[in-house]
Amino acid sequence: MCGIIGYVGPRPSQDILISGLARLEYRGYDSAGIAVIDGEGSLGTRKRAGKLQVLRDDLAAHPLTDGTTGIGHTRWATHGGPTDANAHPHLADDDKLAVIHNGIIENFSELKSELVAEGYTFRSETDTEVAAVLLGREYQASGDLTQAFRATVSRLEGAFTLLALHRDQPGLVVGARRNSPLVIGLGDGENFLGSDVAAFVEHTRHALAIGQDEIVAITPQEVTVTDFSGAAVEVEPFEVVWDAAAADKGGWSSFMAKEVSEEPEAVANTIRGRVHDGLVQIPELEGLDELFTGIDRIIVIACGTAAYAGMVGKYALEQWARVPVDVELAHEFRYRDPVIGARTLVVSISQSGETMDTLMAVKYAREAGAKTLSICNTQGATIPRESDAIVYTHAGPEVAVASTKAFVAQITALYLLALHVGRVRGALTDDAIAEQVSQLEAVPEKIARVLASEQEHIEQFAHWMADTRSVIFLGRHVGYPIALEGALKLKEISYIHAEGFAAGELKHGPIALIEPGQPVFVMVPSPTSSPLLHAKVVSNIQEIRARGARIIAVAEEGDAAVLPFADEVLRIPLAEPLFEPLLAVVPLHVFAMGLATAKGLDVDQPRNLAKSVTVE
Ligand code: AGP
């Protein structure tokens, strides 16, 4: 969850570091710091607990040197509280070496004991300082920062991205990664390192992905990548499709408001380039048919909102590809000793591509012999690089902690995958595929219609409901994961208790929660394409209405059956059952945002949460 940036080039690095850290704020943090070396070989560093503005104010009052080599860090506390002393960078080798770190060094305490026994002292409680002191000791032995890194990382266990600079080597920043993100930005006479491309996208979109257990040394003119043994390795260049403006709020009140408004284009952009003559063709999957012909089962693994996207995708995968699908929470999957092997395809879903629970589950699946496919929104992220195949969502940068446009993009990618697998396995005719493709291609415009027609109405009654203390969400079939997603969104940004249920579960317990005035959102299936389910849900509505519930129905345009029982009806355009979730979720995203805003809360950076959970 920490943010990392490194810079070497002709320009003063301080402002580059701070603006890069500002674009990484969304990762969630509680302290920030930078280190800069100038041409005279002096190393300046400044670090402060709190938000980036605290560091900015301090630097404004007491600027660092105008050095052109620098590293910067935003810290999410794991070992040691958010204090100035525990903030990064950490210094070593007589304060000539500065180190920043993202991840957790699992064996730091035994390393610390070893170093203390050798007479080293420590100024913080962090695992990072142990790595810094170890690196300093190795640098004293070799006088070469890259060699010192090689000797150090071989002693570390756990997950880490480390960056360091040394006063005696201006113009050089060295980094290493294991189970934690790091990408390279290639400039003209300058180079960058970042925990993700947002760190440097305002300066360059030319990037290189660094693989597992690799070390990178950057100077203004050169980038050298080697493995932990010192052997040169191939790196994958890629173009960042986001530009600096895309990663900015663009005048919206919040990143979340901007990203909800982008839900139509997130779907459209995820489809783009993957449909030709009405048929699905996913370039990333060309030549990989055996991934789908040789399997007899798919397991979808993810966390949070991504898992709910997987629950929706299950219906399409089973209906179109005719392959049994299970959806599991990644952190449960890995510890239940699952029965998987070469005929299992494990599909991971992750917006950030760095969620440690999901990453470790993917690595577990690979070690167990399963094939792996990553659905991810972040190019060059760790999970896609650990997978046999990738289908990127193209939702663009999602900065708000609450995932919205990535969710609809994930469902879209799963549908494209399901149609692709259906074709490869001969389970779908071209005509059947073309029919579903045309339904999918109609979704962006339908989402836009929901936003245009309902957003203001939803924000209004969200305002009236600002004092609500709990909300229930009900759904059936593909509406059930949407109920779960609606509840999660509300919980995570408005801090209100909310729970999603399968509507059929009501009589098996949850109906005891219903008392007069209890707000209940109900996802109502289409009366035209799901008449049986529609009737069941309408009777569920009557049951809770009879007990005083306040019903907010998400129902298809023209559905009059809900009118006698609903206090509010939010209309969505007519769509086939599998495409309704993409429309029904939009009012729930808007509602959660409206209620959090009405409560005066920070919708982008809710308390206790980070955008990417890169620790287990
Ligand atoms: C969703 O709004 C939450 N922020 C959270 O549940 C998130 O979906 C989950 O942590 C998975 O993140 P990922 O998609 O980056 O793996």
Side-chain angles (χ1 to χ4, degrees), residues 92-158:
D93 189 18
D94 298 329
D95 290 359
K96 294 183 287 186
L97 173 74
V99 178
I100 57 178
H101 167 230
N102 179 17
I104 290 181
I105 295 166
E106 291 174 357
N107 62 330
F108 84 96
S109 54
E110 64 197 73
L111 291 171
K112 189 167 186 173
S113 305
E114 177 188 320
L115 292 164
V116 167
E118 292 178 15
Y120 290 97
T121 57
F122 290 85
R123 293 170 272 195
S124 79
E125 310 156 83
T126 66
D127 55 342
T128 305
E129 191 182 10
V130 172
V133 172
L134 193 60
L135 186 64
R137 183 185 75 177
E138 297 305 336
Y139 183 82
Q140 284 168 349
S142 67
D144 176 297
L145 196 49
T146 302
Q147 176 52 40
F149 253 98
R150 210 161 288 136
T152 300
V153 296
S154 63
R155 302 289 315 278
L156 304 181
E157 293 168 16

Side-chain angles (χ1 to χ4, degrees), residues 303-306 349-353 355 358 401-403 410 488-489 492 610-613:
C303 300
T305 285
I349 306 171
S350 176
Q351 188 287 130
S352 63
T355 298
T358 306
V401 166
S403 185
Q410 288 160 354
L488 174 62
K489 278 293 112 33
E492 69 175 319
K611 181 59 181 173
S612 178
V613 185

